[in-house]
Amino acid sequence: MTIRAVDHVQIAGLAASGTTDNAGTWNEDIDLDTFSAAPAGATGVVLRVVNTLSSARWAGVRTPGKTAARMLIDTNASSSCYTVICEIGAGNTIDLYCENATDVKFYIVGYTGSVWTFEDIDAAPTLATTSSVYATRTVATAPSGAIVTLIGPANV
C-alpha cells in the first residue's frame, strides 16, 4: 500500500492545549483506530487540520515519544486548512496539539503504507541566521524522490 484514502473522519474529544507555540499540554497517544481503523502495515497518517475561528490558532502533530513536532499557526483563519503527514506510533497512535479544541479540528483523510519511511530526526539542524525568510539547506541522507520537511520553531 502506497497511500490509502479514508472517509473524512474527525478526531473528537480533544482537550485544549491552552497556549501557543508547543508550550501547552499535548493530547497524547490518540488511538486512531477509535475513529478510523488503520489498515494493516500503515506507517503514517494523513491529516487535515482546520481552524474555524476568524483569528489565528496553533495546532501540532507528532509521533508519540518524539519531540519533533509539526507545529502550525493558522495565519489564514476562518476555515483554512493544512494537510499534514505524520508517522504513527505503536498501537496506531499520534499526539495532537490544539490551542483551542473548539476552533481547531483534526480529520483523518488517509494512511501511508510500507513504502513510506519516516526518519527519526528529533535533533534539529543548526540554521544560520540570514537576512532572508528562506535559507538553503542540504539533506545529505535523503534518498532520491524523498519528501523532506524541515520542522522548526516559528521564528526560524
Side-chain angles (χ1 to χ4, degrees):
M1 170 182 68
T2 301
I3 195 162
R4 178 177 173 190
V6 298
D7 290 332
H8 201 245
V9 179
Q10 183 176 356
I11 298 174
L14 299 175
S17 297
T19 188
T20 61
D21 197 15
N22 196 16
T25 304
W26 282 80
N27 291 276
E28 295 182 329
D29 297 316
I30 303 299
D31 184 354
L32 298 172
D33 291 330
T34 303
F35 306 99
S36 172
T43 58
V45 62
V46 182
L47 297 173
R48 175 153 300 144
V49 184
V50 179
N51 176 16
T52 62
L53 192 67
S54 60
S55 60
R57 290 286 191 214
W58 280 90
V61 180
R62 71 179 181 200
T63 305
K66 296 190 178 179
T67 56
R70 285 148 181 87
M71 296 301 296
L72 309 167
I73 183 169
D74 188 358
T75 55
N76 301 315
S78 294
S79 297
S80 322
C81 67
Y82 297 94
T83 301
V84 180
I85 301 173
C86 181
E87 178 182 20
I88 55 178
N92 298 328
T93 58
I94 58 171
D95 294 345
L96 297 174
Y97 188 95
C98 53
E99 179 183 348
N100 184 303
T102 303
D103 307 327
V104 177
K105 311 289 184 195
F106 295 87
Y107 297 90
I108 301 169
V109 296
Y111 290 95
T112 61
S114 59
V115 298
W116 286 69
T117 57
F118 295 83
E119 297 297 323
D120 189 357
I121 56 165
D122 271 352
T126 302
L127 299 179
T129 303
T130 68
S131 59
S132 172
V133 174
Y134 300 100
T136 301
R137 300 292 175 254
T138 301
V139 182
T141 59
S144 176
I147 299 170
V148 178
T149 303
L150 176 63
I151 304 164
N155 61 350
V156 169

